[in-house]
Amino acid sequence: VAGFRLDAAKEFFSGRVSKNVEVLSWLQNAATSIKEDAYLVAEVWDTFSTVTAYYESGITSIFNYPFGDSSGKIISVVRGADNPAVVTTYATALEKADKAYLAQNPNYMDAPFLSNHDVGRIAGFCGQDMDKIKLAGAMNLFMGGSAFIYYGEEIGMTGSGNDPSKRAPMYWNGAGDGGMTQPPPECTVPEYPFPSLDQQRNTDGSIYNYYRQAIAIRNAIPAIARGRVTAETALNTGCVSAQRKTWNDQSCIILMNIASTPVAVDLADYSEWELAVALTTGEEAVSLVDSTLSLPAYAIAILTPKQ
């Protein structure tokens, strides 16, 4: 056993934060006394200030509800695409959360997510807009810590209503092809807006292959998952969200065009940085010519220091 997911971790003593913090502290210490690198992640479905308070327990991870679900920061920003007043708050919110959690637990590991078995799926949150579904997925994966993906997010499955309907079987392949298990009782399986995994696997530009690219980028640049985050104020303007990640002697700058139209970013003051990798939701490419970075709609560029 490598660790545990702790369900409803604020209900050991309902309504008593300090008592629950004591329980989580005891659990964390008990687990690590047996296995030094034991991993505990707790479900504290509550506000930012409450999640922050629970990190005082020393527990490694708490699901980041302030950024997940339909009302969380990621989906709110994606829904606010094309609005600079909304877009520019994303990087500053990331910085605020990182500093707050770190102050409570210097060894914390964030646990970002978009949806889970208790809430509707992100395809619905994003109005079944493929570009926005992709972008939201990348925003989740490019947060720090250990990012969680609820099965089916990576192919754009929908699902809402009662709990069984949120837990419909994975859409492996087309109905009648033996790829769907029986749904749970009282589950309503919707008509899915995007193809099954088998179809998306071999389709360029599919949501599934976009997720694969995002995960590959996350793994290739360790600072994305491990780095401390700050808003890159000089670039965090208009509909471009800009954040810097720093981990030991490594760093990167993540630029996201959270808009339905292309944008040009002036990097004249960033001559020591280069375009390391890009992620796009469509066919238009990201380019860096001289000091001008061209970002298509909903595109992401990651800069790293020149070697």
Side-chain angles (χ1 to χ4, degrees), residues 14 45 71-72 105 120 135 154 192 196 235 266 293 300 303-304:
S14 297
W45 193 340
S71 60
N105 178 3
L135 179 62
E154 73 275 36
Y192 292 120
S196 67
L235 300 175
D266 183 4
L293 177 70
I300 299 173
L303 311 178
T304 55

Side-chain angles (χ1 to χ4, degrees), residues 210-228:
Y210 180 92
Y211 263 74
R212 285 178 58 86
Q213 293 173 53
I215 292 168
I217 291 170
R218 174 187 170 91
N219 290 339
I221 303 176
I224 293 176
R226 295 169 173 81
R228 300 274 68 88

Side-chain angles (χ1 to χ4, degrees), residues 58-145:
I59 192 168
T60 305
S61 294
I62 300 173
F63 286 113
N64 202 334
Y65 274 90
F67 282 78
D69 198 4
S70 60
S71 60
K73 192 64 179 178
I74 290 178
I75 296 300
S76 297
V77 171
V78 170
R79 284 174 169 170
D82 296 303
N83 184 346
V86 174
V87 172
T88 53
T89 65
Y90 184 62
T92 54
L94 288 170
E95 178 178 349
K96 177 183 177 181
D98 187 42
K99 288 181 176 178
Y101 299 160
L102 194 66
Q104 292 289 76
N105 178 3
N107 297 312
Y108 99 97
M109 182 188 298
D110 200 3
F113 73 100
L114 288 174
S115 61
N116 62 28
H117 58 283
D118 289 323
V119 301
R121 291 180 174 276
I122 65 163
F125 301 164
C126 296
Q128 300 183 14
D129 183 314
M130 183 185 290
D131 289 339
K132 291 183 176 181
I133 292 168
K134 290 177 176 178
L135 179 62
M139 291 169 73
N140 177 51
L141 288 165
F142 289 168
M143 285 183 68

Side-chain angles (χ1 to χ4, degrees), residues 292-305:
T292 300
L293 177 70
S294 298
L295 289 173
Y298 304 116
I300 299 173
I302 299 181
L303 311 178
T304 55

Side-chain angles (χ1 to χ4, degrees), residues 183-217:
E186 300 179 11
C187 169
T188 301
V189 178
E191 186 74 28
Y192 292 120
F194 302 104
S196 67
L197 173 63
D198 272 0
Q199 294 172 284
Q200 291 198 34
R201 193 195 309 272
N202 300 312
T203 304
D204 291 341
S206 68
I207 298 171
Y208 175 74
N209 281 313
Y210 180 92
Y211 263 74
R212 285 178 58 86
Q213 293 173 53
I215 292 168
I217 291 170

Side-chain angles (χ1 to χ4, degrees), residues 15-35:
R16 300 175 65 183
V17 174
S18 61
K19 290 293 290 182
N20 290 322
V21 166
E22 284 183 30
V23 174
L24 291 180
S25 180
W26 174 80
L27 281 169
Q28 180 72 31
N29 291 334
T32 52
S33 70
I34 298 167
K35 179 177 170 57

